[in-house]
Amino acid sequence: MHAFSYKNGQLHCEDVALQGLADTYGTPTYVYSANTILDHFRRLHLALGDLDHEIAFAVKANSNLSVLRILADEGAGFDIVSGGELFRVIKAGGNPQQCTFAGVGKTREEIIYALQHQIYSFNVESESELRYLNEVAGELGVIAPAAVRVNPNIDAKTHKYISTGKSENKFGIDFEAIIDLYDRASRELPNIRLRGLQMHIGSQLTSVKPFMEAVEKVKPLALALKEKHNIEFWSIGGGIGIVYHDSLASGAVSWWDGQDAESKPLTIEEYGAAVVPLLQDVGLKILLEPGRYIVGNAGVLLTKCLYEKKGSAKTFKIVDAGMNDLIRPALYEGHHEIAPLQEHKGDLVKADVVGPICESGDFFCQDREMPDFQPGESIALLSAGAYGFVMASNYNSRPLPAEILVDGATHRVVRKRQTLEDIIAGE
Ligand SMILES: *Cc1c(COP(=O)(O)O)cnc(C)c1O
């Protein structure tokens, strides 16, 4: 499915022309394709075949209530990292009993909130957290379901800021220490039910090899814990990468099509074909926690060009979105393709696309060949559906952008643009 493509020279999301949305609702605005989200979720299900599995969408990638509702209606579970995300899942009609709670720093209030809603599992990242969870559950007179996150010490070969499965990362507990910890917990922590095992080696993985290595390495541990502690699930985390480069030209904009080490395009079907055989005989429910794969290429950020500035060294195209709206380029050297809403056929120019923020890191691309769009024209920054709006801030007192959900030929504003009054409310 091609959710974002030119039709008669106009960039569309499904059957809606994006220029119309920019004209009606202004910019910057995020636009999401409902059918792309559904397609990705269903394709992953299919790729896993008859493996006993559950997909828990990583809410932190995109937590808009209407996006969560699409997935809740499909029966998805949710991987949350805060009490706020649990609140959103509940508001969106998701089932807390299909929620796993990740993160290294859960607070007392968050633990109580999640216990009250009987989430499926706390995915615990340290022994002190496990002990604290036991204590809080005891105070409430309940048993807390828990899994420990194992750090398999595998190099995910992704950007260092989104690599999480090496011993030097803050995440998880050393592979070698896990069995002892489960033994100790089962002896000493009466309010904990050891329900599973969790891992997550990083994000934006474009090869199946690190996934396979991690699964192969951790499998004996998972089997041992099943045998000894009767665990019922093994979460293999998220991290499935997507295409950011040439995502429009390749026609692969709507689904994962990463490159493995030999530059052979990979599909979600190949991901399934690689991991399912390794997991089939484990006899545990397999959880997956994809975020980016589900929503990354299902969203774009619309922004309007305000000015062009030709210096002696560079041409800058200054747009009305900034790093406060989409921080991936500044934070992770993230790449977003640039597509004018009205198709350009002429020559390309080399330019920087920058925002209005008073930071040199406020750019969307540097020295890139692109269509020579001009002030007054609007463009789309592609592949902005994951880690886009959720990381937006009010830096420079800029209102948070609007969000629109497209479904076929229809669209809905699923979050209004903030007003200046919204920004100062509470001060
Ligand atoms: C961020 C995160 C995910 C989702 O990662 P993606 O790369 O978006 O798939 C899944 N599990 C955990 C524990 C995470 O922290």
Side-chain angles (χ1 to χ4, degrees):
M1 194 184 71
H2 297 246
F4 296 91
S5 61
Y6 286 107
K7 294 176 194 168
N8 300 320
Q10 294 240 21
L11 190 63
H12 281 65
C13 171
E14 302 195 24
D15 298 323
V16 173
L18 292 171
Q19 185 68 57
L21 298 183
D23 292 343
T24 307
Y25 303 103
T27 50
T29 292
Y30 279 92
V31 181
Y32 309 122
S33 155
N35 286 296
T36 306
I37 295 169
L38 274 177
D39 178 59
H40 291 174
F41 183 78
R42 290 173 180 167
R43 282 161 62 100
L44 180 54
H45 254 317
L46 282 177
L48 297 168
D50 58 4
L51 182 73
D52 180 14
H53 71 272
E54 171 145 347
I55 302 173
F57 173 64
V59 174
K60 73 178 193 282
N62 187 323
S63 60
N64 184 284
L65 293 180
S66 298
V67 169
L68 299 182
R69 188 171 291 279
I70 291 172
L71 294 164
D73 288 348
E74 283 287 295
F78 295 93
D79 187 57
I80 57 171
V81 292
S82 71
E85 287 189 352
L86 177 56
F87 179 72
R88 283 181 173 276
V89 167
I90 293 168
K91 289 285 177 192
N95 181 0
Q97 291 169 32
Q98 287 172 268
C99 280
T100 49
F101 191 168
V104 297
K106 302 174 190 76
T107 65
R108 176 181 176 84
E109 292 71 27
E110 288 175 322
I111 290 171
I112 291 173
Y113 182 46
L115 282 171
Q116 284 167 341
H117 285 280
Q118 300 176 326
I119 64 162
Y120 181 66
S121 178
F122 289 83
N123 291 345
V124 168
E125 306 233 13
S126 64
E127 178 160 358
S128 62
E129 182 192 336
L130 193 61
R131 289 187 179 277
Y132 190 60
L133 180 61
N134 177 67
E135 192 184 309
V136 176
E139 286 173 35
L140 267 65
V142 297
I143 302 293
V148 172
R149 176 166 176 177
V150 55
N151 185 326
N153 195 22
I154 296 279
D155 186 354
K157 302 203 169 55
T158 181
H159 192 277
K160 63 178 185 299
Y161 286 5
I162 50 176
S163 178
T164 57
K166 291 279 284 174
S167 300
E168 58 264 35
N169 298 126
K170 72 176 174 186
F171 299 100
I173 292 180
D174 285 343
F175 182 80
E176 294 75 18
I178 295 281
I179 283 274
D180 281 354
L181 177 57
Y182 277 68
D183 289 350
R184 258 199 318 286
S186 66
R187 279 196 311 271
E188 299 170 14
L189 306 179
N191 308 313
I192 296 287
R193 170 181 171 202
L194 294 165
R195 191 169 208 175
L197 177 69
Q198 201 271 346
M199 68 187 196
H200 172 70
I201 59 174
S203 196
Q204 184 52 16
L205 275 68
T206 51
S207 161
V208 287
K209 287 202 188 92
F211 288 117
M212 294 173 74
E213 261 181 72
V215 166
E216 277 166 343
K217 178 160 181 189
V218 174
K219 188 170 169 175
L221 177 62
L223 290 170
L225 292 174
K226 183 177 84 165
E227 188 65 35
K228 215 168 168 192
H229 294 288
N230 212 17
I231 65 168
E232 69 183 35
F233 80 91
W234 176 14
S235 169
I236 63 168
I240 301 167
I242 63 167
V243 163
Y244 282 101
H245 288 263
D246 293 328
S247 48
L248 198 63
S250 70
V253 69
S254 47
W255 51 73
W256 184 48
D257 229 342
Q259 306 276 308
D260 76 3
E262 290 86 41
S263 290
K264 182 176 146 291
L266 286 164
T267 63
I268 197 66
E269 289 73 23
E270 287 169 307
Y271 168 81
V275 299
V276 168
L278 303 177
L279 295 166
Q280 205 106 49
D281 59 352
V282 175
L284 291 168
K285 176 154 81 169
I286 303 298
L287 261 59
L288 293 95
E289 305 163 356
R292 189 188 312 270
Y293 159 73
I294 303 283
V295 291
N297 272 327
V300 298
L301 175 58
L302 306 184
T303 180
K304 187 161 153 182
C305 182
L306 299 173
Y307 303 104
E308 184 174 71
K309 176 163 137 174
K310 286 197 160 121
S312 53
K314 281 188 172 221
T315 295
F316 295 98
K317 293 181 185 289
I318 301 161
V319 298
D320 67 0
M323 64 187 287
N324 72 297
D325 302 302
L326 176 62
I327 203 175
R328 292 191 63 262
L331 189 61
Y332 314 122
E333 303 171 308
H335 179 98
H336 294 275
E337 290 290 333
I338 285 166
L341 302 193
Q342 310 288 334
E343 193 169 17
H344 280 237
K345 299 280 192 196
D347 292 341
L348 302 179
V349 293
K350 188 181 270 190
D352 287 20
V353 176
V354 302
I357 308 275
C358 305
E359 297 278 351
S360 295
D362 182 32
F363 57 81
F364 294 112
C365 65
Q366 294 177 303
D367 296 318
R368 194 190 296 175
E369 300 275 348
M370 67 184 76
D372 194 14
F373 60 86
Q374 294 299 306
E377 281 185 72
S378 292
I379 61 169
L381 295 161
L382 304 181
S383 316
Y387 307 105
F389 182 89
V390 285
M391 287 195 184
S393 79
N394 286 128
Y395 189 37
N396 284 200
S397 286
R398 291 164 49 83
L400 294 177
E403 293 174 287
I404 292 174
L405 184 66
V406 168
D407 185 355
T410 67
H411 71 273
R412 245 166 0 105
V413 176
V414 292
R415 182 181 166 108
K416 283 195 277 196
R417 184 180 312 285
Q418 263 190 334
T419 64
L420 298 181
E421 288 295 335
D422 292 335
I423 295 180
I424 61 166
E427 287 186 27

